[in-house]
């Protein structure tokens, strides 16, 4: 792949990763309530999920979803339901829970990995996005394994790198502004954001 084409691909991937949405909300949630480690774990698993969709799109998953819109809509609704579930769980959490309990349960490392991957995997729009994106940069007849690997790694590194930076900046902000303990109002705001995002996903169909 020519350097100019790769730079164009990287720029589009960077703009896509930096656009606000459910993925950003999930990484912020774990960064704020579970610490930088959990935020970075969510970023890594999210990047893996996005990279998986990129690879699947090269294999024809995006085209398959366009041919079977019912499957596509099912995954979209499932993703919206997961967002609503996260929001309701935050809203109805007990305000007197200790920070230690939160880190050991809701904000555990395994939960961060699960949420990061799920929010990517339950977003079939990624498959359509990569199908449209990759078609602008490659000719299916000239696609080789090495080019496919480069493209998928580019997607993974940029997405993961951006959300790792988000987790780092969130940790710095917490220390700078003294957000070292759980803030019930911040939790409620995050819960409302998740529910609003779920409604937006459904309305956007």
């Amino acid at each position: 792949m020519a350097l100019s084409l790769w730079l164009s691909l990287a720029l589009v991937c960077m703009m896509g990763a930096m656009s606000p949405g459910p993925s950003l909300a999930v990484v912020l949630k774990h960064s704020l309530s579970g610490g930088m480690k959990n935020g970075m774990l969510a970023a890594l698993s999210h990047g893996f999920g996005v990279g998986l969709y990129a690879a699947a799109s090269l294999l024809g998953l995006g085209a398959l979803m366009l041919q079977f819109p019912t499957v596509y809509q099912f995954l979209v609704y499932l993703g919206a339901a997961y967002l609503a579930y996260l929001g309701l769980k935050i809203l109805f959490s007990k305000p007197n829970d200790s920070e230690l309990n939160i880190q050991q349960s809701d904000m555990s490392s395994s939960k961060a990995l699960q949420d990061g991957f799920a929010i990517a995997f339950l977003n079939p729009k990624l498959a359509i996005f990569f199908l449209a994106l990759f078609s602008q940069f490659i000719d299916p007849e000239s696609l080789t394994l090495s080019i496919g690997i480069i493209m998928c790694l580019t997607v993974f590194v940029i997405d993961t790198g951006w959300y790792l930076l988000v987790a780092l900046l969130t940790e710095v902000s917490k220390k700078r502004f003294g957000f070292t303990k759980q803030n019930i109002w911040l939790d409620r705001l995050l819960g409302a954001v998740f529910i609003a995002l779920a409604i937006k996903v459904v309305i956007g169909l």
Side-chain angles (χ1 to χ4, degrees), residues 37 46 49 64 73 80 92 95 97 100 126 154 169 171 178 199:
K37 174 187 173 183
H46 182 272
L64 188 64
Q73 290 182 350
F92 289 99
D97 285 346
L100 179 60
L126 286 174
T154 298
L169 293 177
E171 183 68 16
I199 295 173

Side-chain angles (χ1 to χ4, degrees), residues 120-186:
F121 182 75
L122 296 176
N123 183 11
K125 293 181 180 180
L126 286 174
I128 310 300
F129 169 76
F130 287 125
L131 177 66
L133 175 63
F134 291 162
S135 66
Q136 305 301 312
F137 294 94
I138 59 172
D139 180 355
E141 295 182 357
S142 62
L143 178 63
T144 64
L145 179 61
S146 59
I147 292 178
I149 291 175
I150 290 173
M151 297 178 77
C152 292
L153 282 177
T154 298
V155 170
F156 170 77
V157 171
I158 289 178
D159 186 88
T160 303
W162 166 247
Y163 286 114
L164 286 175
L165 180 61
V166 168
L168 175 62
L169 293 177
T170 302
E171 183 68 16
V172 172
S173 298
K174 283 168 61 179
K175 293 180 179 179
R176 173 67 177 82
F177 297 104
F179 297 146
T180 56
K181 294 184 179 181
Q182 185 191 16
N183 186 314
I184 188 62
W185 294 110
L186 183 59

